[in-house]
Amino acid sequence: MDEQLLRSIPHIDEIAHRGAFGGAPAKHTENFLERSARENKILPSLEDAIRAAGLKDGMTISFHHHFRGGDHVVNQVVGKLAEMGFRNLTLAASSLSAVHAPLIEHIKNGVITHIETSGLRGELAEQISRGLMDCPVVFRSHGGRAAAIRSRELHIDVAFLGAPSCDPYGNANGYSRDEEYIACGSMGYARTDSEYADKVVILTNHLVRYPNAPWAIPEDNVDYIVVVDDIGDPKGIMSGATRYTKNPKELLIAQTAASVIDAAGYLYDGFSMQMGSGGASLAAARFIRQMMLDKGIRCRFALGGITGQIAAMHEEGLIDRIIDVQSFDLDAAMSLKNNRFHHQISAAYYASFLSAAAVDQLDFVILSALEIDTDFNVNVLTGSDGVIRGAIGGHPDTAAGASLSIVVAPLTRGRIPCVIDRVNTVVTPGSTVDVVVTDQGVAVNPRRPEVAEKLRRAGIKVYTIGQLKDKAEALVGRPDPIRYTDRVVGVVLYRDNTVLDVIRQIDET
């Protein structure tokens, strides 16, 4: 290079001339197999990974819930942390279920002192509803959790993420090319944790050759890998196909919901949708499929938790793209594995309010409910006895994002009305709910008079939400109010992570 030109470059004298590659390490000559056997991210044990990650008392650990009721990762990791003497940890899981009852002892012993989650079920939920924890559980929607992680409002120190397949460098996925290994399908909730946690530990029972492509989590998001004998029970993680309901009440609700969507003008060529995994939602997809065939139209994309039924419609040519944050059954997981237009996405892509999310592109969503009140507020978290029994999930995210949000529920369950004066716990604000469909009538939010008018023109009788409440009470009466103490056991955050409601300890005196 011309010496005069070099001298004209500012600060050139401060640059050390170290030859080609600026003094980079010598080029390696080992073959890939030799090199990967020496340079991989695999550690001998979970304890080694915990120590390498630098976990300390008071830090936050995270987990995903794609293994559902078959998950063995949370209990395995927290059990090891207890054995190692850790205290005062925050457990930030995308959701927790009945299989996590062993956490009760770890809470009592001070290993876990704070919990952030989308949901709780089983004995753990029962105990927390009765005052197990000193600090209230923080409940976030899937989109709210992703936003909190991205903004560092929820700072994850170490993420422990189970993966049905992983290579020695950390490329992890929710299925394997080897059929005999378990699958969880999309790892959408784990992806956000892997992107923003300070350290990421993958636990897998199936180490595969590099590169494990395609991957849900790329190697540059992973710090350590631990090969364990057991990450979960396949029977609890995945069922075959999600079964169709034969319940006449659910079928009636489903047919009505499909008719509402059509009458409201949201069933057109190129529409987008999200369906729940409940009986009525699944059945609604069957009615929508037939309408699509009759009209000769296609769905542009189906979003969210994906069932085999949606995958079958994709393979049939009725749905162009599937955008999958969570695979609900084995058929959906196998579709993700085999169909190139079936994509897995992160929770942030799915529903974070911090940027345009996939939920904001929905034409309609069908959502279930435990309770709906006369202001159209929806509860999917606490039961009629005040005990925590469910999860927020993406309920408020999709209700806010979709052009038409439909909540489906029977008017009564047993002797319990589902349309009441005031829900026990507000999870989805009524301002984002457009239509309520029950087996005994449809109500449209007064905010959407144009929808009500379209339904009437289509011959669908429209009630006020108050009339549906009166119908329910005429059938089963008005239940006694739940008795609570003043103690708060849970805080419910809206998708923008502002406080929406609190859950109080049930009073059993």
Side-chain angles (χ1 to χ4, degrees):
M1 182 179 290
D2 183 88
E3 218 170 294
Q4 186 172 357
L5 176 61
L6 276 174
R7 283 196 297 272
S8 69
I9 300 173
H11 310 297
I12 190 64
D13 294 336
E14 299 173 15
I15 300 174
H17 295 277
R18 291 175 287 183
F21 306 112
K27 177 179 171 63
H28 58 70
T29 57
E30 298 170 297
N31 67 37
F32 172 73
L33 289 179
E34 292 170 335
R35 190 165 64 257
S36 62
R38 179 172 53 82
E39 295 178 347
N40 62 57
K41 298 177 181 178
I42 302 170
L43 293 181
S45 69
L46 177 57
E47 183 170 339
D48 288 317
I50 292 166
R51 295 194 188 284
L55 188 68
K56 293 181 172 57
D57 290 351
M59 285 186 170
T60 297
I61 56 176
S62 80
F63 302 88
H64 69 77
H65 75 285
H66 292 284
F67 293 168
R68 299 171 191 79
D71 177 60
H72 291 171
V73 171
V74 173
N75 294 337
Q76 186 176 171
V77 171
V78 178
K80 177 57 69 175
L81 294 173
E83 181 185 308
M84 294 172 69
F86 284 94
R87 307 275 297 176
N88 192 31
L89 297 173
T90 294
L91 191 157
S94 53
S95 201
L96 294 167
S97 61
V99 73
H100 300 122
L103 291 177
I104 295 169
E105 287 306 310
H106 298 308
I107 292 168
K108 290 179 178 178
N109 294 334
V111 179
I112 302 297
T113 53
H114 299 73
I115 290 178
E116 293 216 8
T117 181
S118 173
L120 290 171
R121 292 179 172 86
E123 184 60 24
L124 176 62
E126 294 269 357
Q127 293 275 352
I128 287 174
S129 298
R130 290 172 168 81
L132 173 66
M133 300 192 72
D134 292 332
C135 186
V137 172
V138 175
F139 292 93
R140 300 182 193 265
S141 72
H142 288 326
R145 180 180 188 271
I149 291 172
R150 289 180 67 183
S151 68
R152 304 291 178 170
E153 178 181 328
L154 173 55
H155 175 229
I156 299 171
D157 294 291
V158 185
F160 294 92
L161 307 176
S165 69
C166 185
D167 67 35
Y169 287 86
N171 296 297
N173 210 352
Y175 58 81
S176 169
R177 292 293 166 189
D178 303 311
E179 298 290 343
E180 69 270 21
Y181 287 90
I182 64 173
C184 68
S186 174
M187 293 178 65
Y189 303 121
R191 289 178 80 156
T192 303
D193 294 47
S194 75
E195 290 172 12
Y196 293 96
D198 289 350
K199 296 292 181 181
V200 174
V201 179
I202 297 290
L203 286 81
T204 187
N205 66 335
H206 185 34
L207 198 66
V208 299
R209 295 180 66 180
Y210 180 93
N212 184 27
W215 50 76
I217 297 172
E219 61 183 271
D220 55 342
N221 285 354
V222 175
D223 297 287
Y224 310 108
I225 301 160
V226 181
V227 180
V228 295
D229 294 332
D230 177 27
I231 58 173
D233 177 5
K235 293 178 182 177
I237 294 173
M238 281 288 180
S239 60
T242 307
R243 296 186 180 276
Y244 297 124
T245 183
K246 295 181 180 179
N247 184 314
K249 187 183 289 190
E250 290 185 333
L251 290 172
L252 175 59
I253 294 170
Q255 186 173 26
T256 304
S259 297
V260 165
I261 293 164
D262 188 25
Y266 291 96
L267 205 62
Y268 62 95
D269 192 28
F271 71 91
S272 57
M273 67 176 177
Q274 178 166 335
M275 316 293 289
S277 61
S281 293
L282 282 170
R286 295 169 63 189
F287 289 109
I288 288 170
R289 173 186 173 275
Q290 188 58 53
M291 289 178 176
M292 293 171 67
L293 291 170
D294 294 343
K295 291 172 175 282
I297 62 175
R298 296 159 65 98
C299 173
R300 181 163 41 97
F301 71 86
L303 174 67
I306 301 299
T307 63
Q309 184 176 11
I310 294 297
M313 290 173 69
H314 171 58
E315 292 174 358
E316 193 178 0
L318 293 175
I319 298 174
D320 292 340
R321 300 286 193 277
I322 297 177
I323 307 178
D324 188 347
V325 73
Q326 179 180 14
S327 307
F328 278 136
D329 57 35
L330 192 58
D331 286 358
M334 291 302 100
S335 171
L336 178 64
K337 175 179 176 178
N338 297 324
N339 293 318
R340 69 190 181 104
F341 292 127
H342 185 161
H343 309 278
Q344 58 181 315
I345 59 170
S346 73
Y349 184 112
Y350 171 53
S352 171
F353 76 93
L354 291 178
S355 57
V359 295
D360 299 318
Q361 317 308 323
L362 285 170
D363 279 311
F364 64 84
V365 62
I366 298 180
L367 299 164
S368 60
L370 294 173
E371 299 173 325
I372 308 121
D373 68 24
T374 52
D375 289 322
F376 286 83
N377 298 309
V378 179
N379 172 25
V380 291
L381 192 55
T382 55
S384 59
D385 56 358
V387 174
I388 301 164
R389 300 192 182 281
I392 297 175
H395 204 287
D397 304 310
T398 52
S403 298
L404 183 74
S405 58
I406 299 177
V407 173
V408 295
L411 192 64
T412 62
R413 286 189 179 91
R415 300 293 301 172
I416 304 297
C418 295
V419 181
I420 58 179
D421 283 315
R422 169 73 181 178
V423 293
N424 292 326
T425 307
V426 178
V427 168
T428 297
S431 59
T432 64
V433 174
D434 298 309
V435 183
V436 171
V437 176
T438 75
D439 54 308
Q440 298 197 42
V442 173
V444 178
N445 195 316
R447 291 171 177 262
R448 300 297 303 272
E450 80 287 2
V451 171
E453 181 56 32
K454 288 177 180 178
L455 300 193
R456 291 189 187 99
R457 286 204 302 263
I460 299 173
K461 184 172 175 57
V462 177
Y463 296 86
T464 68
I465 195 73
Q467 287 172 326
L468 291 184
K469 185 208 72 152
D470 291 343
K471 272 192 170 194
E473 290 181 357
L475 288 170
V476 297
R478 184 184 290 240
D480 294 332
I482 302 169
R483 292 186 302 137
Y484 295 102
T485 69
D486 291 333
R487 184 179 181 186
V488 174
V489 298
V491 178
V492 180
L493 304 186
Y494 187 49
R495 63 186 304 247
D496 63 358
N497 291 311
T498 56
V499 175
L500 187 61
D501 206 347
V502 296
I503 304 170
R504 298 189 185 277
Q505 179 180 340
I506 55 176
D507 184 354
E508 298 176 300
T509 58

